[in-house]
Amino acid sequence: VNERVALSREAVARAFLERDVLYLKGDWTNRDPIITDYLAGFGRNGVPIYVLYPGQGKPIVLPQILTESIVLNALDNI
């Protein structure tokens, strides 16, 4: 649902392009230990997790349920 209502929206794609944001997606279908360790680093033991890495500063964990405005606001605040 997050893909449809937020991450694949035209305004979000444009904002990613304008800010040189690279959207990466991990596949945890087979419980990859590297992804498991990544999740644990944020105090999580499951997906989804959405993390925005600004050019400088600490990573920002976004809510599990996204909207277009949540993503755009996060980008505007970095």
Side-chain angles (χ1 to χ4, degrees), residues 23-70:
Y23 174 55
L24 300 174
K25 185 176 181 178
D27 182 355
W28 200 47
T29 303
N30 296 318
R31 305 286 177 153
D32 182 300
I34 294 172
I35 296 174
T36 302
D37 289 344
Y38 176 83
L39 294 168
F42 288 98
R44 301 279 181 93
N45 60 3
V47 293
I49 185 171
Y50 299 96
V51 183
L52 177 61
Y53 287 88
Q56 296 181 1
K58 296 182 181 181
I60 301 162
V61 178
L62 301 178
Q64 286 185 313
I65 298 177
L66 299 175
T67 64
E68 183 177 333
S69 63
I70 287 172

Side-chain angles (χ1 to χ4, degrees), residues 13-23 53 55 75:
R14 186 173 43 253
F16 282 178
L17 184 63
E18 290 170 354
R19 293 168 176 82
D20 290 326
V21 172
L22 180 61
Y23 174 55
Y53 287 88
L75 292 170

